[in-house]
């Protein structure tokens, strides 16, 4: 049986038939990796391979009905968040993927709007528990607690922590522990940083609403 064309570890995950869509998916994956260095720091080359194959899979959802897309996105968001990738990362990638596809194949832009709708679904799910303003405040708080300037990397870490808490409140059981296990590893980070992570998670949990999650 032939292996996956982009990632041997991805099994039978589908990819688009159109090579232009595959190229756009891979480009979007590289852009998302650049926007969120966390992927590379934590998951290395294996994470890069799965970013490519997952990105290609997401393109195939554009041909399905909205209920099918929403079901698949909720499933994938839960799977990834339980493995240390809060759904805010998938939300961001869906937006990048949508823009990349529309630029590469503008005549198919209407069908790619399914991906934008999926990003909005994740955003609204997150905002049901933590508003955008709350996430921004938590991000700034993390930078201050860690003694870091408010760079994109520091603020992005704060957003990840806030996003993990929102996922936890949305019913993804290991969303916080899967992120915290890495960010509080004393072999990787100094005590000040780890304390900032723990305080930020506590702040986010105190600020987060319990629900309801949009249907």
């Amino acid at each position: 049986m032939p292996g996956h064309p982009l990632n041997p570890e991805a099994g039978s995950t589908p990819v688009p038939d159109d090579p232009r869509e595959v190229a756009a998916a891979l480009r979007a994956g590289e852009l998302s990796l650049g926007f969120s260095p966390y992927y590379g720091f934590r998951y290395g080359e294996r994470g890069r391979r799965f970013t490519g194959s997952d990105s290609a899979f997401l393109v195939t959802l554009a041909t399905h009905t909205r209920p099918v897309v929403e079901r698949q996105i909720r499933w994938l968001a839960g799977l990834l968040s339980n493995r240390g990738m809060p759904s805010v990362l998938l939300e961001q990638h869906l937006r990048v993927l949508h823009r990349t596809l529309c630029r590469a194949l503008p005549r198919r832009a209407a069908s790619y709007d399914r991906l934008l709708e999926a990003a909005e679904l994740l955003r609204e799910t997150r905002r049901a528990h933590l508003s955008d303003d709350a996430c921004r405040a938590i991000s700034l708080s993390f930078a201050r607690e860690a003694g870091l300037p408010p760079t994109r990397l520091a603020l992005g870490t704060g957003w990840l922590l806030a996003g993990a808490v929102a996922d936890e409140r949305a019913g993804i059981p290991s969303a916080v522990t899967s992120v915290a296990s890495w960010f509080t590893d004393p072999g990787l980070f100094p005590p000040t940083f780890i304390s900032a992570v723990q305080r930020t998670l506590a702040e986010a949990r105190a600020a987060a609403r319990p629900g309801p999650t949009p249907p």
Side-chain angles (χ1 to χ4, degrees), residues 33-207:
L33 289 169
F35 292 147
S36 300
Y38 169 74
Y39 285 121
F41 291 152
R42 182 166 186 178
Y43 300 103
E45 186 57 35
R46 186 171 188 269
R48 182 178 296 276
R49 292 194 300 272
F50 271 100
T51 296
S53 56
D54 285 353
S55 188
F57 161 69
L58 290 169
V59 178
T60 69
L61 295 182
T63 62
H64 293 282
T65 63
R66 184 169 183 168
V68 170
V69 174
E70 291 187 356
R71 186 167 62 250
Q72 289 290 321
I73 289 298
R74 289 189 188 279
W75 170 81
L76 183 59
L79 177 72
L80 295 177
S81 189
N82 275 325
R83 294 179 177 179
M85 290 164 276
S87 63
V88 67
L89 293 173
L90 178 57
E91 175 195 336
Q92 173 184 275
H93 179 63
L94 285 164
R95 297 184 191 281
V96 172
L97 181 60
H98 175 262
R99 288 196 300 270
T100 307
L101 286 165
C102 287
R103 288 170 183 166
L105 292 95
R107 292 184 180 180
R108 298 184 191 173
S111 68
Y112 298 140
D113 283 350
R114 280 278 180 263
L115 303 176
L116 205 56
E117 292 169 0
E120 285 300 311
L121 170 70
L122 294 178
R123 183 185 185 207
E124 290 309 309
T125 300
R126 173 172 50 80
R127 290 173 69 183
H129 305 284
L130 277 172
S131 69
D132 290 340
D133 286 344
C135 289
R136 279 190 285 271
I138 290 165
S139 297
L140 286 167
S141 177
F142 168 75
R144 288 193 300 269
E145 292 280 357
L148 299 171
T151 61
R152 183 163 61 89
L153 184 59
L155 296 177
T157 300
W159 267 91
L160 282 179
L161 298 174
V165 168
D167 284 352
E168 181 183 63
R169 290 296 170 90
I172 301 175
S174 298
V176 171
T177 56
S178 61
V179 168
S181 65
W182 191 73
F183 277 120
T184 59
D185 183 345
L188 297 173
F189 299 102
T192 301
F193 184 95
I194 291 173
S195 294
V197 168
Q198 293 168 334
R199 286 195 293 270
T200 301
L201 288 172
E203 178 184 347
R205 278 172 163 158

